[in-house]
Amino acid sequence: MMGEKILTKYIAEQNCQTIDFYLAHDGYKALRKALSITPDAVIEEVKKSNLRGRGGAGFPTGMKWSFMPKNPVDADGRPRPKYLVCNADEGEPGTFKDRLIMTKNPHALIEGMVIAAHAVGAVRGYIYIRGEFFKEARLLQRAIDDARGQGYLGKNILGSNLHFDLFVYRGAGAYICGEESALLNSLEGKRGEPRLKPPFPAQVGAFGMPTCVNNVETFAVIPYIIEHGGPKFAAMGTEKSGGLRLFCVSGQVERPGIYELSMRTTLRELIDIAGGVRNGKKLKAVIPGGASAPMLTAEEIDVPLCFDAMMKAQTMAGSGGAIVMSEDVCIVEATSILLRFYEHESCGQCSQCREGSHWLARMFARIEAGKGTHDDLITIERICANMAGQTICAFADAVTGPALSAVRKFRSEFEDHIRQRRCPQKAMLRAPATDSVRGQTHV
Amino acid sequence: MCNTTDINREMGKHEIALNYCSNKHAVQKGANPAPKLILDGEVVEFVAGDTILQVAERAGRGHLIPRYCYHPGLPIAGTCRMCTVEVEKMVKLMTACSTPAADGMVVHTKTERVLKSRAGVMEFLLINHPLDCPVCDKAGECDLQDNNYRYGPVTSSFLEDKRTYPKAATKKLSEKITLNMNRCVHCERCVRFSEEVVKSCDLMMVNRSWHKELTLADDKLGLTSEYQGCLSDFCPVGALTFNDFRFVKRSWFLQRHPSVCDGCSKGCNIEVHSEDNIIYRFTPAYNEKINGHWICDTGRLSYHQVMDPTRIVRPMLAHNGALQATSWELAQAATGHLLETAKKVKVVIGTDATIEEIRYLQAALPDMFGSKFTFRSFNGTGTLSTSSQDKKLDHLLIMQDKTANLRGAEECKLAPLENGQINDSDLVLLVRFGRSAVPAVGNGQKLILLGVWNSAEQASLGAAVEVMLPGLATVEKSGTYINCDGIRQQFIPAVVHLGEGMAVNRLLRFTKK
């Protein structure tokens, strides 16, 4: 199971982020191979690999690339340039895989982007990196400079007629800029607010030009696919989700971290690989795919971590960041903290999301403080129903996912909070309970 | 700073100014056969390129779809989510404002799901709204209020404290506009207006999420555009209010009558809001060919000129070297006498007179008093005397010619006054309606003033004035103007004149026994 690795093979080695190390380990070999075949053949290879976007939505990458118009022209008949954008705005709570790639294996990303540029005919690439990743941005910039120095970027790459260059653009710290159209707005210097779709970025993207946006990990596995062939990559995963994937495990496990595993791995296996729940405690809940995914209870974790199986389990594989919560965790408090994050990060464009995320966060905080009522649970269901699927982007769904799953799957905990007018978990940890919580009530 | 959040620009459809949406009609008309969709069970034809909401508007059923962020004169944002409708074969509810209509689409606007969604949006918008309708100027014409009556939830389950913007509760954005941020529903019409229509880019949103706030781009500068009043017009709530109207009148007392703005040669269509014939404000009335949805602030505030306390609204007669109020009989008799006895009379008509008034004077005066009249037009605003010299002062509406009917005067073959001076006549009949400038009058000529004058304008002509005959302002009379683009506009009285002023034909009728 823990056999072959793609991205994390050398991360323990010293200087693994340098171009010399990368070249010494077959780096940029795939690029040579890609340049020797036609763009269509590259896309075909990626399609064969069953590679699905690693950012969270799991859209087939090959198909996304094939959506890019071949020779786009504007109204006056002039050719429109095409752009490639790498989404390195890794803001999802519980996800930290892209950061590893950028610090330990940046040339895989660069090589993947050059190959993608060849495939879709892009003239310029932008890496939109999360504002907080200051060190990573510097490392990445150095890697790009090195690659440019050795002729892997710039004009006539490796003697071919491919011209392509890469630029690092730092965000300003907004979670929503991880949404691709908000990212494009931010890249253009505007407010990071998702755009109405259609038109999709493949038609009207960065600066109004056709743009292909992919996640860091997606680009980084492209060299492997080109070098070893799509079918080999596909065989590593499930029928519809090919390949290995970086899974981030955080929360109360013995060995939190990043694990590169097949998409066939189940959630239970992933937790076991990460050492199991810390201190031998019982598992209470897992958020399987980054904070936006609905929670799973301890009984529901025997599902493979591929996109389709997760969808079937009414959650999502998302960005592959599993947050493990043991029996010590108060679900109300955990959800409340998550919602505080979403309340802060909504872009404020759509009515439901702006007001709803705020309302939910306040309500969960109130319940956690012991001032909730039974009506609140009904209200939460209603708010979530009014929010989910009604907004421009998927942010509202990301808010309602954890909130709704918490209320539905751990209803007794909420009821305990309301009935006891305090947080039972905290009360257990603290001194014997006295009737110290005052100041409610709306019954 | 001039950022656009608009998809239209990127799609190359960005064609401006007055009306984003109706522009499409002209361009894409003539698709044969016209595509159709079914709106609430009724087959509706539409023009390719329309969105569902535009189709509904075209079919006269726009009232079925509530909206906040959508405004026909602004680019589409699709953010308030109020206009969602159910489209068959589509999983999600679709926003009518941004979903392009397609042939054969089946659209429902009244299903339970849609109503639930609207009630949801209303609930979200209301939880943090101060609900201060009793003291809010927008009450009575507030979209939030109206939609809540139709679609909103009956009660609220919001137990938390309402969001407030302490520092920005009521902030003067300029001399004309006050912002009450607590009432805002974040539709961003104002931001899009300032960026895309007037291009002053002086409004913007700061912060995100629930504390997103509307602010000035430059606090010291304030709002800079000439179209600030429009902000208050289309603000769906009482967040942006026009200081001139603020706390002046409850909107439900107002009667609304159409008229034409005579502030410049553009001839914007307006709605006159009055109670008991006292005008409280002008608002724009939609006219696709002339002003779209907008009017400038100068035009909007020009009702003050009609209601001006110094406006002369009683006939006056010179007596012992000073003008004194008198009766119409005496004033008309004096006028008749002066016209009868004079040998050479010059009639100088301001280009703010209607075509009917000019024609009447041209025909009636020689008919009554013989051919001793020479007729001249006078404009005097912006140093122009013919319509060919007229030009736009900005990209939207404002014209250099500050009178409404220069082209009309030209149509009546009225020659402009030479050198802007009146000389060589015994008697001058000076007809103007408050808009054209006051011409210079050479010495030794007697003067009869007719029309809309205020006391300062009258006083500037000194002792030569023999008679003053008050007339009617544009909103008080009927007539025809031809605007700078040659568009002929007829209008009827919007209010009844409150003074003793008379229409020109009535007022001259009894001057000759």
Side-chain angles (χ1 to χ4, degrees):
Chain A
M1 162 153 296
M2 302 199 41
E4 188 148 11
K5 298 263 192 286
I6 298 173
L7 293 168
T8 57
K9 204 167 175 181
Y10 303 113
I11 54 164
E13 314 265 333
Q14 215 162 18
N15 293 330
C16 61
Q17 80 280 13
T18 59
I19 191 160
D20 296 335
F21 184 94
Y22 190 66
L23 286 170
H25 294 83
D26 293 342
Y28 290 108
K29 225 170 107 185
L31 176 59
R32 269 174 223 284
K33 188 175 172 192
L35 290 174
S36 68
I37 56 177
T38 64
D40 285 341
V42 175
I43 294 179
E44 202 48 46
E45 206 59 47
V46 175
K47 273 186 181 165
K48 269 190 236 158
S49 73
N50 282 348
L51 171 62
R52 294 175 67 169
R54 298 293 197 237
F59 194 79
T61 306
M63 204 190 288
K64 195 181 221 176
W65 288 8
S66 62
F67 286 159
M68 288 289 281
K70 285 278 177 260
N71 294 304
V73 287
D74 61 12
D76 304 327
R78 282 173 306 205
R80 297 162 78 202
K82 284 182 271 188
Y83 295 123
L84 201 61
V85 173
C86 171
N87 185 346
D89 191 76
E90 187 177 43
E92 187 77 27
T95 311
F96 34 86
K97 63 191 175 61
D98 297 344
R99 184 179 185 185
L100 181 87
I101 296 171
M102 287 186 286
T103 46
K104 296 291 182 186
N105 204 355
H107 287 283
L109 168 62
I110 295 167
E111 187 180 3
M113 284 192 79
V114 182
I115 294 170
H118 172 60
V120 302
V123 293
R124 198 161 276 212
Y126 297 97
I127 301 176
Y128 185 95
I129 190 167
R130 183 178 173 185
E132 288 88 338
F133 284 177
F134 184 65
K135 196 181 104 195
E136 288 78 359
R138 272 210 333 227
L139 276 169
L140 202 55
Q141 188 59 53
R142 181 187 292 173
I144 287 171
D145 293 342
D146 288 348
R148 196 181 288 132
Q150 304 235 11
Y152 298 112
L153 284 172
K155 293 214 158 162
N156 296 90
I157 294 168
L158 297 178
S160 71
N161 52 7
L162 175 66
H163 312 300
F164 181 70
D165 214 340
L166 267 180
F167 301 91
V168 177
Y169 185 92
R170 288 181 61 222
Y175 168 74
I176 193 62
C177 289
E179 200 274 347
E180 62 176 2
S181 59
L183 183 151
L184 295 174
N185 267 347
S186 175
L187 186 66
E188 291 177 16
K190 300 173 184 168
R191 271 180 77 85
E193 289 176 343
R195 298 175 182 170
L196 277 176
K197 281 167 266 184
F200 290 95
Q203 275 80 46
V204 181
F207 311 103
M209 301 302 161
T211 304
C212 181
V213 187
N214 280 115
N215 181 252
V216 172
E217 193 189 342
T218 316
F219 280 129
V221 295
I222 296 290
Y224 181 89
I225 292 170
I226 299 301
E227 200 178 340
H228 298 92
K232 187 175 178 199
F233 185 83
M236 292 171 161
T238 62
E239 193 187 338
K240 283 188 177 155
S241 319
L244 305 181
R245 180 165 201 202
L246 296 181
F247 292 102
C248 319
V249 187
S250 58
Q252 283 133 330
V253 286
E254 287 291 347
R255 288 192 303 277
I258 300 172
Y259 298 89
E260 187 166 26
L261 298 167
S262 159
M263 306 274 272
R264 285 192 298 266
T265 321
T266 65
L267 191 52
R268 188 183 294 282
E269 284 166 348
L270 178 68
I271 294 169
D272 287 343
I273 289 167
V277 181
R278 195 182 298 163
N279 299 336
K281 295 271 184 179
K282 272 204 298 193
L283 179 70
K284 186 187 254 181
V286 188
I287 300 177
S292 312
M295 292 177 194
L296 294 177
T297 61
E299 292 78 44
E300 296 172 323
I301 58 170
D302 287 306
V303 279
L305 287 159
C306 72
F307 293 103
D308 300 311
M310 280 292 184
M311 192 85 88
K312 228 179 195 173
Q314 293 184 343
T315 179
M316 56 189 209
S319 55
I323 304 172
V324 179
M325 291 181 266
S326 78
E327 57 186 335
D328 285 346
V329 172
C330 169
I331 291 290
V332 182
E333 189 184 6
T335 324
S336 172
I337 291 166
L338 267 183
L339 289 171
R340 214 161 64 208
F341 169 79
Y342 285 121
E343 176 199 29
H344 185 62
E345 293 294 346
S346 163
C347 81
Q349 224 183 163
C350 303
S351 310
Q352 289 101 329
C353 180
R354 180 184 61 241
E355 308 290 344
S357 59
H358 173 53
W359 191 357
L360 279 178
R362 295 281 201 88
M363 208 172 235
F364 272 73
R366 186 156 53 81
I367 296 173
E368 166 64 14
K371 294 174 185 170
T373 69
H374 286 283
D375 288 348
D376 285 345
L377 300 183
I378 302 167
T379 311
I380 288 168
E381 292 257 355
R382 199 183 67 237
I383 298 173
C384 291
N386 284 335
M387 282 175 79
Q390 306 242 8
T391 50
I392 289 181
C393 73
F395 189 96
D397 304 72
V399 182
T400 53
L404 212 51
S405 60
V407 172
R408 284 188 183 156
K409 292 178 179 171
F410 300 94
R411 196 175 183 90
S412 63
E413 278 199 34
F414 284 84
E415 281 167 350
D416 285 349
H417 276 76
I418 293 164
R419 209 175 301 117
Q420 298 182 19
R421 294 180 185 173
R422 66 180 176 186
C423 176
Q425 212 86 19
K426 273 187 199 151
M428 224 157 61
L429 294 173
R430 272 198 234 108
T434 54
D435 193 14
S436 61
V437 182
R438 293 183 190 280
Q440 68 115 86
T441 70
H442 314 276
V443 183
Chain B
M1 285 315 299
C2 191
N3 292 337
T4 160
T5 50
D6 165 28
I7 56 162
N8 292 350
R9 166 169 283 173
E10 274 115 24
M11 293 177 82
K13 283 182 192 165
H14 186 78
E15 200 36 67
I16 243 338
L18 301 176
N19 193 327
Y20 271 78
C21 304
S22 62
N23 273 347
K24 288 183 192 160
H25 306 196
V27 182
Q28 287 163 343
K29 225 166 192 170
N32 203 15
K36 295 181 187 70
L37 60 73
I38 299 172
L39 181 68
D40 284 342
E42 197 175 291
V43 179
V44 176
E45 281 194 5
F46 66 94
V47 182
D50 274 1
T51 66
I52 295 174
L53 207 159
Q54 286 158 10
V55 175
E57 295 256 285
R58 192 84 52 80
R61 322 191 83 193
H63 61 282
L64 293 175
I65 305 175
R67 75 298 296 265
Y68 293 110
C69 68
Y70 174 85
H71 186 279
L74 298 173
I76 290 164
T79 56
C80 74
R81 318 307 283 179
M82 189 64 191
C83 66
T84 45
V85 291
E86 198 168 340
V87 180
E88 280 183 17
K89 292 182 196 152
M90 289 196 188
V91 187
K92 285 183 175 183
L93 293 178
M94 307 302 286
T95 46
C97 71
S98 65
T99 310
D103 198 14
M105 222 176 210
V106 184
V107 180
H108 302 284
T109 66
K110 291 180 206 155
T111 61
E112 198 183 334
R113 212 173 137 209
V114 171
L115 293 178
K116 225 173 175 175
S117 155
R118 285 179 192 163
V121 177
M122 282 312 303
E123 187 177 18
F124 285 131
L125 291 179
L126 287 171
I127 55 170
N128 284 316
H129 190 79
L131 301 175
D132 55 350
C133 308
V135 293
C136 175
D137 268 291
K138 201 72 177 188
E141 49 183 8
C142 171
D143 288 359
L144 195 68
Q145 223 177 23
D146 294 351
N147 286 336
N148 193 43
Y149 276 112
R150 266 190 228 153
Y151 308 108
V154 181
T155 56
S156 167
S157 356
F158 187 67
L159 304 176
E160 274 61 43
D161 293 336
K162 279 182 192 275
R163 165 194 63 209
T164 50
Y165 295 90
K167 282 179 187 166
T170 48
K171 183 170 146 194
K172 267 199 170 182
L173 296 185
S174 72
E175 282 307 304
K176 295 172 191 159
I177 291 286
T178 301
L179 166 69
N180 184 335
M181 195 56 211
N182 290 338
R183 291 175 185 156
C184 180
V185 292
H186 302 84
C187 71
E188 295 191 36
R189 279 182 185 178
C190 47
V191 177
R192 276 173 285 140
F193 179 74
S194 87
E195 283 179 359
E196 298 289 337
V197 179
V198 297
K199 300 185 191 298
S200 57
C201 300
D202 40 20
L203 280 170
M204 58 195 287
M205 284 283 179
V206 292
N207 296 339
R208 60 173 180 247
S209 180
W210 59 282
H211 43 245
K212 190 174 181 180
E213 188 177 342
L214 178 70
T215 51
L216 290 165
D218 186 338
D219 263 335
K220 283 187 194 128
L221 222 55
L223 293 175
T224 50
S225 85
E226 276 299 319
Y227 299 88
Q228 295 172 23
C230 298
L231 296 172
S232 132
D233 283 339
F234 57 60
C235 182
V237 289
L240 293 165
T241 43
F242 198 50
N243 286 347
D244 185 67
F245 184 68
R246 202 162 180 252
F247 301 140
V248 171
K249 198 77 195 164
R250 303 313 317 234
S251 68
W252 53 84
F253 291 125
L254 295 173
Q255 291 179 321
R256 291 143 204 249
H257 296 289
S259 189
V260 172
C261 175
D262 59 359
C264 74
S265 57
K266 195 76 189 178
C268 297
N269 290 197
I270 54 170
E271 212 171 58
V272 179
H273 290 196
S274 61
E275 192 202 4
D276 293 342
N277 295 312
I278 295 171
I279 303 171
Y280 287 95
R281 64 174 169 186
F282 286 168
T283 58
Y286 175 61
N287 188 327
E288 191 187 336
K289 286 188 182 133
I290 297 173
N291 58 324
H293 301 268
W294 327 119
I295 57 170
C296 70
D297 290 342
T298 318
R300 187 184 296 267
L301 290 169
S302 67
Y303 79 89
H304 284 300
Q305 206 160 340
V306 182
M307 306 309 292
D308 187 357
T310 68
R311 177 178 160 193
I312 300 170
V313 290
R314 297 185 65 187
M316 295 175 107
L317 209 52
H319 184 66
N320 293 340
L323 279 180
Q324 284 178 358
T326 180
S327 69
W328 269 113
E329 286 78 9
L330 290 175
Q332 279 169 329
T335 309
H337 178 70
L338 282 167
L339 289 170
E340 199 84 61
T341 51
K343 296 220 169 56
K344 253 169 91 181
V345 184
K346 202 158 223 176
V347 184
V348 178
I349 308 173
T351 51
D352 47 2
T354 63
I355 290 181
E356 288 81 354
E357 284 162 346
I358 299 171
R359 288 250 160 86
Y360 177 80
L361 289 168
Q362 280 174 329
L365 286 174
D367 192 36
M368 288 195 282
F369 301 105
S371 56
K372 54 187 164 187
F373 297 94
T374 41
F375 290 91
R376 290 287 178 267
S377 74
F378 184 69
N379 185 319
T381 62
T383 65
L384 48 81
S385 50
T386 62
S387 61
S388 55
Q389 295 166 328
D390 195 10
K391 61 172 189 278
K392 279 184 153 191
L393 290 186
D394 67 355
H395 67 286
L396 265 184
L397 304 173
I398 302 172
M399 301 297 293
Q400 197 182 8
D401 178 6
K402 295 295 173 202
T403 64
N405 202 25
L406 181 53
R407 287 188 73 138
E410 283 168 2
E411 196 191 75
C412 298
K413 307 243 163 24
L414 211 54
L417 187 67
E418 305 84 358
N419 310 323
Q421 283 264 343
I422 307 172
N423 288 316
D424 313 329
S425 54
D426 308 336
L427 181 65
V428 180
L429 179 58
L430 207 47
V431 185
R432 70 182 272 281
F433 294 87
R435 292 301 183 169
S436 69
V438 181
V441 182
N443 288 334
Q445 306 174 89
K446 287 180 179 171
L447 269 171
I448 302 173
L449 306 185
L450 198 161
V452 179
W453 297 75
N454 64 31
S455 48
E457 287 160 348
Q458 175 259 305
S460 72
L461 290 169
V465 182
E466 292 286 328
V467 191
M468 165 72 222
L469 304 167
L472 302 179
T474 304
V475 293
E476 297 162 347
K477 65 188 175 192
S478 59
T480 309
Y481 287 149
I482 299 178
N483 87 341
C484 57
D485 303 318
I487 299 170
R488 187 178 286 265
Q489 300 198 84
Q490 287 191 321
F491 50 90
I492 53 169
V495 290
V496 176
H497 177 55
L498 289 174
E500 294 177 22
M502 270 195 215
V504 173
N505 53 354
R506 265 187 77 200
L507 145 179
L508 283 178
R509 191 178 298 161
F510 302 106
T511 50
K512 184 157 173 142
K513 297 254 160 54

